[in-house]
């Protein structure tokens, strides 16, 4: 979740590091820092609490006295932190330094840090923080007592670590080198002309390069201005292809929008178009959009297992309804953080689908690795190959998840900076809809007529989303009803239940209002006890076969004096008369089974956004949260 940036260049690295941190600020923001080797080849460090602007201001005001060495250097590492070990505090901020010789930045968790710390205390090392990262700096320094080679010292040090890490190390005695390593956390190397850069995310380096080397699991690398030498987990020198990113630095700018979340909500029609491009024809879905082997593999599928976290989990729940209802295939959806720690029964001929915006979600990636290990074990013990196909639905082409999976579907949402996911969720739903159709085609359980109807609906989707965005002013007025509220309830039936869950999550994430979602039919089984005029109830009312059931549920709320807000289809006609405590917004029309949940979600995103504005919270960087959950 933390952000890492590094540079080894002929120019002063500080502006590059600061700009990189700004672009990674969404990954973590309780503190930040920079360490570099100055003109005297001494380590110099500045750290601060809060946002990157605070660090920049401190660098500007805490410059060395006139005549002394300024805070500048050709080689440096930087970090923006999201606390895992140790409270947000300047002394816990990265980089961490050992004996003014070794500086380290780290993303991940060193699970055995307490044992290492106890050993290092006995060795006489002094700790200045409560972080797990500081043991890395001391461990590298200890290894440098036995070798002058920084690469060897880092390789020997990481052999002692258990857990996940992406690290970058610089050393005063090796002033022209940087060593990096990754295991379980992402790290990329940016290739320039006579200079190199490192970061935990491509977007951090787009202003300085579009060419990248992607480190694989267990890799270490020795980086100088002119060269990069990469070694795999076995210590062998390996080649990694340079890949050119299709992203540009402009795509992560705010433009005319006040917040990235607002910008990304409005980017959804285009994101859907980009996700559909090249994946559908006039009336059909191209199965090979999931890979050239997809059709043959999909023919063998007897069940679908979806694993995801947070918003991606909600997308999977919607897909469960679609998969079982439209093509009659069993579908199971589980939270990755639970799945990975139990002993799951894995059926033969299962399509194992992992969903992640970043492709670096730690629990989802661990669940995928677990299923691959089970596949190998079963093949060895049963003397036959178990047929499990893994598919990742992801927004990052260069992620760990995509590299680990048999098949990959990229959502083409573009960079999503706001912590609260919007367009990533929408494009995941589009991808899952295409998956359902592709499975149905491969297994002959979907008629050409049904396929054509779904494709036509998907083609209408960008227009439906654009029309849904036109209700923003009305939703803004509704948001004022939440100004003094501390709780809310979201209701939905069928596919609208996971959409209600997503709406509740958005409200929680960015407005800090407690919100829960329930299937509307469950009201009488407990939640009805919460209803009063201080708890708004938000309901989603598409014009489907469950609308009359939903109307009955909503009458139960009204009968108990509840404050009811209904986002409805124009044909749903929840109530034709004005009643106290009832607000109805006709959100959309002409939506089908696939397009309805995607379209109604727009209203819930806008509601959460405007409630957060009224509450005065940090919309793009809500407290205690980070964009990519790359640690447990």
């Amino acid at each position: 979740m933390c952000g890492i940036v590094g540079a080894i260049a002929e120019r002063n690295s500080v502006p590059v590091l600061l700009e990189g941190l700004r672009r990674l600020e969404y990954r973590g923001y309780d503190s930040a820092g920079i360490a570099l080797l100055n003109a005297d080849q001494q380590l110099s460090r500045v750290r601060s609490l809060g946002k990157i602007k605070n660090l920049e201001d401190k660098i500007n005001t805490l410059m060395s006295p006139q005549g002394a060495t300024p805070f500048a250097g050709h080689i440096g590492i930087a970090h923006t932190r999201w606390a895992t070990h140790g409270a947000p505090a300047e002394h816990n901020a990265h980089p961490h330094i050992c004996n003014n010789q070794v500086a380290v930045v780290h993303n991940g968790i060193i699970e055995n840090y307490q044992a290492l710390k106890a050993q290092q205390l006995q060795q006489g090392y002094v700790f200045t923080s409560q972080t797990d990262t500081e043991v890395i700096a001391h461990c590298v320094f200890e290894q440098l007592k036995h070798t002058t080679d920084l690469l060897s010292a880092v390789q020997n040090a990481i052999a002692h670590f258990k857990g996940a890490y992406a690290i970058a190390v610089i050393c005063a005695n090796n002033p022209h080198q940087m060593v990096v390593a990754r295991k379980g956390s992402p790290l990329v190397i940016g290739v320039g002309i006579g200079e190199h850069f490192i970061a935990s995310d491509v977007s951090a380096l787009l202003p300085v390069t579009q060419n990248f080397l992607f480190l694989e699991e267990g890799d270490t690398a020795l980086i100088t201005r002119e060269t990069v030498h990469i070694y795999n987990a076995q210590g062998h020198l390996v080649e990694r292809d340079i890949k050119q990113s299709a992203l540009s630095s402009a795509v992560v700018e705010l433009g005319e929008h006040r917040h990235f979340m607002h910008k990304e909500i409005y980017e959804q029609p285009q994101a859907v178009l980009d996700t559909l491009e090249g994946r559908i024809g006039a009336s059909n879905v191209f199965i090979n959009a999931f890979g050239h082997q997809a059709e043959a593999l999909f023919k063998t599928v007897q069940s679908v297992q979806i694993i995801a976290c947070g918003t991606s989990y909600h997308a999977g729940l919607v897909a469960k309804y679609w998969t079982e209802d439209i093509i009659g295939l069993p579908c199971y959806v589980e939270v990755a953080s639970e799945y990975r720690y139990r002993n799951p029964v894995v059926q033969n001929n299962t399509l194992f689908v992992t969903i992640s915006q970043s492709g670096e979600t730690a629990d989802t990636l661990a669940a995928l690795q677990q299923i691959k290990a089970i596949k190998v074990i079963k093949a060895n013990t049963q003397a036959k190959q178990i047929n499990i196909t893994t598919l990742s639905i992801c927004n990052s082409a260069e992620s760990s998840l995509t590299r680990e999976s048999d098949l990959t579907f990229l959502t083409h949402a573009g960079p999503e900076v706001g912590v609260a996911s919007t367009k990533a969720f929408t494009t995941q739903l589009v991808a899952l809809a295409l998956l359902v159709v592709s499975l149905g085609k491969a297994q002959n359980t979907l008629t050409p007529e049904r396929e054509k109807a779904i494709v036509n609906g998907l083609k209408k989707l960008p227009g439906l989303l654009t029309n849904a965005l036109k209700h923003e002013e009305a939703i803004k007025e509704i948001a004022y009803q939440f100004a003094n509220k501390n709780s809310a309830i979201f209701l939905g039936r069928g596919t609208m239940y996971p959409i209600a869950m997503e709406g509740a999550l958005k409200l929680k994430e960015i407005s800090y209002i407690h919100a829960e979602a329930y299937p509307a039919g469950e009201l009488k089984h407990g939640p009805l006890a919460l209803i009063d005029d201080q708890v708004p109830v938000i309901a989603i009312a598409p014009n489907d076969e469950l609308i009359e059931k939903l109307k009955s549920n909503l009458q139960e709320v009204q009968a108990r004096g509840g404050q009811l807000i209904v986002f409805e289809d124009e044909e749903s006609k929840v109530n034709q008369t004005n009643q106290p405590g009832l607000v109805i917004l006709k959100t959309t029309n002409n939506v089908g089974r696939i397009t309805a949940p995607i379209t109604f979600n727009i209203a819930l995103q806008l509601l959460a956004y405007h409630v957060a504005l009224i509450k005065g919270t940090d919309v793009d960087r809500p407290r205690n949260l980070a964009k990519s959950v790359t640690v447990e």
Side-chain angles (χ1 to χ4, degrees):
M1 291 187 230
C2 308
I4 291 173
V5 187
I8 179 164
E10 185 175 5
R11 57 178 143 170
N12 178 21
S13 65
V14 172
V16 174
L17 298 175
L18 282 171
E19 179 58 27
L21 290 181
R22 290 187 197 98
R23 291 169 178 269
L24 292 179
E25 194 169 16
Y26 66 92
R27 294 177 67 99
Y29 51 89
D30 61 55
S31 58
I34 294 176
L36 49 81
L37 288 167
N38 59 29
D40 296 329
Q41 296 185 355
Q42 300 295 313
L43 282 175
S44 183
R45 177 178 63 183
V46 176
R47 299 180 291 179
S48 72
L49 276 174
K51 298 184 179 180
I52 307 307
K53 183 65 166 60
N54 298 344
L55 178 67
E56 185 176 17
D57 290 344
K58 191 169 184 180
I59 289 172
N60 291 334
T61 57
L62 295 182
M63 295 291 285
S64 299
Q66 187 174 2
T69 303
F71 189 73
H74 300 309
I75 177 171
I77 52 178
H79 190 270
T80 180
R81 181 175 184 256
W82 186 84
T84 55
H85 295 78
E90 187 172 310
H91 67 272
N92 285 329
H94 299 214
H96 289 286
I97 294 177
C98 177
N99 292 334
N100 296 317
Q101 290 293 308
V102 173
V104 174
V105 289
H106 164 226
N107 181 15
I109 292 177
I110 304 301
E111 294 178 351
N112 62 331
Y113 87 100
Q114 290 181 323
L116 292 172
K117 183 174 181 177
Q119 181 183 42
Q120 290 170 357
L121 286 169
Q122 290 182 342
Q123 293 170 331
Y125 287 97
V126 176
F127 282 79
T128 61
S129 77
Q130 288 80 49
T131 70
D132 56 331
T133 301
E134 197 170 359
V135 301
I136 300 175
H138 296 327
C139 197
V140 173
F141 183 87
E142 182 67 21
Q143 295 302 319
L144 283 170
K145 292 179 180 178
H146 310 291
T147 178
T148 58
D149 180 41
L150 182 60
L151 174 67
S152 296
V154 173
Q155 289 174 327
N156 293 337
I158 62 177
H160 294 82
F161 305 152
K162 295 179 181 179
Y165 55 79
I167 62 173
V169 183
I170 57 175
C171 176
N173 289 336
N174 302 75
H176 305 297
Q177 297 179 347
M178 178 187 300
V179 174
V180 298
R182 69 148 293 186
K183 179 185 176 184
S185 291
L187 200 66
V188 302
I189 300 173
V191 180
I193 300 173
E195 56 188 1
H196 288 99
F197 311 93
I198 60 106
S200 48
D201 192 315
V202 165
S203 64
L205 302 179
L206 290 175
V208 291
T209 185
Q210 303 244 179
N211 298 314
F212 296 93
L213 293 162
F214 293 89
L215 295 183
E216 296 188 5
E217 188 77 355
D219 280 356
T220 56
L222 173 65
I223 306 172
T224 68
R225 278 183 49 208
E226 295 82 15
T227 62
V228 175
H229 296 294
I230 300 175
Y231 300 83
N232 63 16
Q234 290 72 43
H236 301 141
L237 186 65
V238 293
E239 295 287 335
R240 303 283 184 233
D241 293 337
I242 295 177
K243 297 183 179 180
Q244 188 172 59
S245 175
L247 300 176
S248 68
S249 58
V251 298
V252 291
E253 302 298 341
L254 270 172
E256 62 183 10
H257 298 271
R258 183 174 173 185
H259 297 96
F260 280 107
M261 182 181 179
H262 192 258
K263 173 176 180 278
E264 288 154 8
I265 289 173
Y266 272 80
E267 287 175 342
Q268 287 175 110
Q270 185 60 50
V272 169
L273 281 170
D274 292 342
T275 301
L276 292 173
E277 184 179 0
R279 273 84 180 258
I280 60 174
S283 59
N284 62 310
V285 171
F286 303 142
I287 302 179
N288 62 6
F290 292 89
H292 70 278
Q293 297 176 306
E295 185 166 8
L297 293 172
F298 286 175
K299 287 180 179 179
T300 68
V301 172
Q302 295 178 1
S303 65
V304 178
Q305 174 72 69
I306 298 175
I307 300 294
C309 297
T311 286
S312 298
Y313 170 68
H314 298 156
L317 290 174
V318 174
K320 174 180 173 65
Y321 284 92
W322 290 342
T323 305
E324 297 185 344
D325 178 41
I326 297 173
I327 61 173
L329 202 62
C331 182
Y332 311 96
V333 187
E334 293 199 50
V335 176
S337 57
E338 290 296 312
Y339 187 88
R340 65 176 293 197
Y341 285 115
R342 64 181 188 80
N343 192 17
V345 176
V346 181
Q347 299 292 336
N348 199 13
N349 298 315
T350 295
L351 176 64
F352 191 88
V353 183
T354 51
I355 312 173
S356 169
Q357 183 270 332
S358 66
E360 303 293 349
T361 307
D363 288 316
T364 306
L365 185 58
L368 174 58
Q369 292 166 341
Q370 177 188 17
I371 207 72
K372 291 174 69 177
I374 290 173
K375 182 177 179 180
V376 171
I377 291 170
K378 286 200 171 188
N380 291 337
T381 57
Q382 298 176 2
K384 64 179 181 179
Q385 184 68 34
I386 183 170
N387 186 21
I388 298 175
T389 299
T390 57
L391 163 68
S392 69
I393 294 175
C394 183
N395 193 40
S396 176
E398 300 105 354
S399 67
S400 299
L401 202 65
T402 59
R403 291 197 295 270
E404 293 271 355
S405 300
D406 299 325
L407 303 173
T408 297
F409 187 98
L410 298 178
T411 54
H412 295 173
E416 189 179 66
V417 176
V419 166
S421 181
T422 52
K423 61 179 180 174
F425 176 65
T426 296
T427 53
Q428 286 170 358
L429 289 173
V430 171
L432 289 164
L434 295 177
L435 175 61
V436 170
V437 174
S438 297
L439 285 168
K441 286 182 66 175
Q443 302 194 358
N444 295 317
T445 56
L446 188 75
T447 65
E449 292 76 20
R450 190 73 183 274
E451 178 184 7
K452 181 178 180 180
I454 293 173
V455 169
N456 287 339
L458 290 172
K459 288 180 177 179
K460 293 177 183 176
L461 186 55
L464 291 171
L465 299 185
T466 299
N467 289 334
L469 290 167
K470 295 177 181 177
H471 295 288
E472 181 172 14
E473 285 303 312
I475 292 170
K476 183 177 179 180
E477 290 302 312
I478 293 172
Y480 283 102
Q481 298 188 32
F482 292 77
N484 299 311
K485 299 297 189 292
N486 297 313
S487 296
I489 294 174
F490 286 72
L491 299 176
R493 299 197 73 141
T495 55
M496 296 304 158
Y497 170 45
I499 295 300
M501 295 172 70
E502 175 63 12
L505 176 61
K506 287 292 161 281
L507 193 67
K508 281 184 279 196
E509 282 181 308
I510 63 172
S511 73
Y512 314 149
I513 291 176
H514 172 255
E516 296 296 334
Y518 295 95
E522 287 292 294
L523 274 173
K524 290 190 287 289
H525 296 275
L528 208 55
L530 298 173
I531 302 301
D532 61 26
D533 60 1
Q534 293 302 306
V535 181
V537 177
I538 302 94
I540 314 163
N543 185 31
D544 59 17
E545 68 278 5
L546 292 172
I547 186 60
E548 295 304 322
K549 298 283 187 184
L550 178 66
K551 288 178 181 179
S552 297
N553 302 140
L554 300 185
Q555 287 173 0
E556 295 169 353
V557 174
Q558 287 184 272
R560 288 154 180 82
Q563 180 184 350
L564 185 59
I565 299 163
V566 182
F567 295 107
E568 72 166 1
D569 186 282
E570 290 181 3
E571 300 301 319
S572 295
K573 300 176 182 177
V574 169
N575 198 306
Q576 299 300 304
T577 60
N578 293 325
Q579 293 186 15
L582 174 64
V583 176
I584 296 177
L585 181 62
K586 295 185 182 300
T587 307
T588 187
N589 68 350
N590 195 28
V591 290
R593 189 172 300 277
I594 296 289
T595 55
I598 304 174
T599 306
F600 274 102
N601 183 58
I602 298 293
L604 302 185
Q605 292 176 351
L606 287 170
L607 178 65
Y609 174 75
H610 284 287
V611 173
L613 291 184
I614 292 166
K615 290 284 190 178
T617 63
D618 190 336
V619 173
D620 286 333
R621 305 178 186 91
R623 68 189 182 199
N624 303 331
L625 300 178
K627 182 63 180 175
S628 301
V629 186
T630 57
V631 295
E632 286 190 74

mmCIF file of all heavy atoms in Angstrom, residues 550-564:
data_model
loop_
_atom_site.group_PDB
_atom_site.id
_atom_site.type_symbol
_atom_site.label_atom_id
_atom_site.label_comp_id
_atom_site.label_asym_id
_atom_site.label_seq_id
_atom_site.Cartn_x
_atom_site.Cartn_y
_atom_site.Cartn_z
ATOM 1 N N LEU A 550 -40.338 -5.812 -3.974
ATOM 2 C CA LEU A 550 -39.592 -4.691 -3.394
ATOM 3 C C LEU A 550 -40.537 -3.608 -2.889
ATOM 4 O O LEU A 550 -40.319 -3.031 -1.810
ATOM 5 C CB LEU A 550 -38.636 -4.114 -4.432
ATOM 6 C CG LEU A 550 -37.807 -2.902 -3.976
ATOM 7 C CD1 LEU A 550 -36.833 -3.310 -2.869
ATOM 8 C CD2 LEU A 550 -37.045 -2.281 -5.143
ATOM 9 N N LYS A 551 -41.598 -3.322 -3.639
ATOM 10 C CA LYS A 551 -42.555 -2.305 -3.206
ATOM 11 C C LYS A 551 -43.148 -2.658 -1.845
ATOM 12 O O LYS A 551 -43.329 -1.783 -0.982
ATOM 13 C CB LYS A 551 -43.657 -2.148 -4.248
ATOM 14 C CG LYS A 551 -43.215 -1.458 -5.537
ATOM 15 C CD LYS A 551 -44.356 -1.396 -6.545
ATOM 16 C CE LYS A 551 -43.904 -0.738 -7.840
ATOM 17 N NZ LYS A 551 -44.991 -0.690 -8.857
ATOM 18 N N SER A 552 -43.435 -3.913 -1.643
ATOM 19 C CA SER A 552 -43.959 -4.344 -0.343
ATOM 20 C C SER A 552 -42.934 -4.110 0.760
ATOM 21 O O SER A 552 -43.282 -3.665 1.870
ATOM 22 C CB SER A 552 -44.343 -5.822 -0.399
ATOM 23 O OG SER A 552 -45.374 -6.043 -1.334
ATOM 24 N N ASN A 553 -41.669 -4.402 0.472
ATOM 25 C CA ASN A 553 -40.605 -4.169 1.458
ATOM 26 C C ASN A 553 -40.489 -2.687 1.798
ATOM 27 O O ASN A 553 -40.293 -2.323 2.969
ATOM 28 C CB ASN A 553 -39.272 -4.670 0.924
ATOM 29 C CG ASN A 553 -39.265 -6.141 0.570
ATOM 30 O OD1 ASN A 553 -38.683 -6.539 -0.433
ATOM 31 N ND2 ASN A 553 -39.923 -6.968 1.377
ATOM 32 N N LEU A 554 -40.627 -1.846 0.809
ATOM 33 C CA LEU A 554 -40.492 -0.407 1.036
ATOM 34 C C LEU A 554 -41.673 0.139 1.831
ATOM 35 O O LEU A 554 -41.519 1.082 2.618
ATOM 36 C CB LEU A 554 -40.357 0.327 -0.303
ATOM 37 C CG LEU A 554 -39.144 -0.076 -1.156
ATOM 38 C CD1 LEU A 554 -39.042 0.808 -2.393
ATOM 39 C CD2 LEU A 554 -37.848 -0.017 -0.354
ATOM 40 N N GLN A 555 -42.833 -0.441 1.658
ATOM 41 C CA GLN A 555 -43.980 -0.033 2.459
ATOM 42 C C GLN A 555 -43.751 -0.339 3.931
ATOM 43 O O GLN A 555 -44.218 0.389 4.815
ATOM 44 C CB GLN A 555 -45.243 -0.736 1.950
ATOM 45 C CG GLN A 555 -45.735 -0.184 0.607
ATOM 46 C CD GLN A 555 -46.880 -0.994 0.044
ATOM 47 O OE1 GLN A 555 -47.329 -1.971 0.646
ATOM 48 N NE2 GLN A 555 -47.363 -0.594 -1.131
ATOM 49 N N GLU A 556 -43.025 -1.407 4.205
ATOM 50 C CA GLU A 556 -42.686 -1.733 5.594
ATOM 51 C C GLU A 556 -41.839 -0.629 6.216
ATOM 52 O O GLU A 556 -41.980 -0.304 7.400
ATOM 53 C CB GLU A 556 -41.944 -3.064 5.648
ATOM 54 C CG GLU A 556 -42.776 -4.268 5.216
ATOM 55 C CD GLU A 556 -41.925 -5.516 5.028
ATOM 56 O OE1 GLU A 556 -40.683 -5.405 5.097
ATOM 57 O OE2 GLU A 556 -42.492 -6.598 4.828
ATOM 58 N N VAL A 557 -40.926 -0.066 5.416
ATOM 59 C CA VAL A 557 -40.081 1.030 5.902
ATOM 60 C C VAL A 557 -40.930 2.263 6.162
ATOM 61 O O VAL A 557 -40.835 2.912 7.221
ATOM 62 C CB VAL A 557 -38.967 1.341 4.891
ATOM 63 C CG1 VAL A 557 -38.175 2.574 5.322
ATOM 64 C CG2 VAL A 557 -38.041 0.142 4.741
ATOM 65 N N GLN A 558 -41.780 2.617 5.200
ATOM 66 C CA GLN A 558 -42.604 3.810 5.337
ATOM 67 C C GLN A 558 -43.561 3.705 6.526
ATOM 68 O O GLN A 558 -43.789 4.687 7.246
ATOM 69 C CB GLN A 558 -43.410 4.036 4.058
ATOM 70 C CG GLN A 558 -42.557 4.530 2.888
ATOM 71 C CD GLN A 558 -43.424 4.821 1.673
ATOM 72 O OE1 GLN A 558 -43.685 3.938 0.873
ATOM 73 N NE2 GLN A 558 -43.870 6.064 1.574
ATOM 74 N N ALA A 559 -44.091 2.513 6.752
ATOM 75 C CA ALA A 559 -45.050 2.325 7.845
ATOM 76 C C ALA A 559 -44.419 2.578 9.206
ATOM 77 O O ALA A 559 -45.131 2.836 10.184
ATOM 78 C CB ALA A 559 -45.635 0.915 7.788
ATOM 79 N N ARG A 560 -43.103 2.505 9.268
ATOM 80 C CA ARG A 560 -42.401 2.714 10.540
ATOM 81 C C ARG A 560 -41.696 4.062 10.601
ATOM 82 O O ARG A 560 -40.784 4.268 11.401
ATOM 83 C CB ARG A 560 -41.416 1.562 10.765
ATOM 84 C CG ARG A 560 -42.148 0.272 11.120
ATOM 85 C CD ARG A 560 -41.380 -0.962 10.761
ATOM 86 N NE ARG A 560 -42.146 -2.165 11.138
ATOM 87 C CZ ARG A 560 -43.115 -2.690 10.386
ATOM 88 N NH1 ARG A 560 -43.410 -2.129 9.226
ATOM 89 N NH2 ARG A 560 -43.773 -3.766 10.781
ATOM 90 N N GLY A 561 -42.101 4.970 9.723
ATOM 91 C CA GLY A 561 -41.592 6.340 9.772
ATOM 92 C C GLY A 561 -40.194 6.491 9.248
ATOM 93 O O GLY A 561 -39.501 7.465 9.586
ATOM 94 N N GLY A 562 -39.748 5.552 8.443
ATOM 95 C CA GLY A 562 -38.384 5.631 7.919
ATOM 96 C C GLY A 562 -38.236 6.689 6.844
ATOM 97 O O GLY A 562 -39.188 7.028 6.126
ATOM 98 N N GLN A 563 -37.036 7.229 6.748
ATOM 99 C CA GLN A 563 -36.694 8.188 5.689
ATOM 100 C C GLN A 563 -36.239 7.381 4.485
ATOM 101 O O GLN A 563 -35.181 6.761 4.510
ATOM 102 C CB GLN A 563 -35.597 9.123 6.172
ATOM 103 C CG GLN A 563 -35.180 10.162 5.138
ATOM 104 C CD GLN A 563 -34.023 11.022 5.627
ATOM 105 O OE1 GLN A 563 -33.654 10.963 6.805
ATOM 106 N NE2 GLN A 563 -33.457 11.817 4.741
ATOM 107 N N LEU A 564 -37.005 7.378 3.403
ATOM 108 C CA LEU A 564 -36.792 6.473 2.284
ATOM 109 C C LEU A 564 -36.380 7.234 1.027
ATOM 110 O O LEU A 564 -37.047 8.185 0.612
ATOM 111 C CB LEU A 564 -38.077 5.678 2.017
ATOM 112 C CG LEU A 564 -38.038 4.587 0.948
ATOM 113 C CD1 LEU A 564 -36.983 3.543 1.286
ATOM 114 C CD2 LEU A 564 -39.411 3.928 0.836
#
